[in-house]
Amino acid sequence: QVQLVESGGGLVQPGGSLTLSCAASGSIFGVIAMGWYRQAPGKERELVARITRDGITNYAYSVKGRFTISGDNALRAVYLQMNSLKPEDTAVYYCNMRLYTDFAVWDDFWGQGTQVTVSS
């Protein structure tokens, strides 16, 4: 059984910063990719940022230059540094990991979500 636990959400003023963390535990054979998604009220879940096991990153256009994703394959951990936050960044942020659970067997796993609210 694999579990993802997130931390770091909260309330921040516009222009402020937050760092989200996510760590996986359980029967993990290896990492394929890790990422962050978000879902605002009334909207669909969207990709924020993703990093492969080789360190290749991609970002949503709306967060490029403001957010930075990093990962530690050995620790099965992923981080999202969010700077210059805007009210439109308000959402529930979900950690996602694509992991090998056995040789040549992989699956997608999700965290429980952490609320990020950007407001004055």
Side-chain angles (χ1 to χ4, degrees):
Q1 188 78 0
V2 174
Q3 286 189 320
L4 273 57
V5 178
E6 303 159 357
S7 61
L11 173 64
V12 63
Q13 292 187 341
S17 298
L18 279 177
T19 300
L20 305 182
S21 301
C22 175
S25 62
S27 181
I28 300 168
F29 200 70
V31 172
I32 300 173
M34 301 182 284
W36 291 92
Y37 289 69
R38 68 185 181 187
Q39 187 167 19
K43 294 189 176 182
E44 293 189 353
R45 190 175 297 190
E46 62 175 359
L47 174 68
V48 177
R50 189 171 183 265
I51 184 168
T52 70
R53 63 182 174 184
D54 298 323
I56 298 170
T57 59
N58 65 288
Y59 295 90
Y61 179 80
S62 60
V63 307
K64 275 185 179 179
R66 300 188 298 121
F67 291 9
T68 302
I69 189 170
S70 59
D72 188 321
N73 294 333
L75 293 179
R76 308 346 185 176
V78 63
Y79 312 95
L80 187 67
Q81 174 66 43
M82 304 185 292
N83 298 326
S84 303
L85 282 160
K86 304 175 180 180
E88 51 264 43
D89 294 318
T90 296
V92 178
Y93 284 70
Y94 296 91
C95 171
N96 168 266
M97 293 192 188
R98 179 162 290 182
L99 304 170
Y100 284 114
T101 55
D102 202 342
F103 181 73
V105 177
W106 62 268
D107 206 346
D108 280 319
F109 300 91
W110 293 88
Q112 78 282 5
T114 185
Q115 177 70 46
V116 171
T117 302
V118 185
S119 175
S120 54

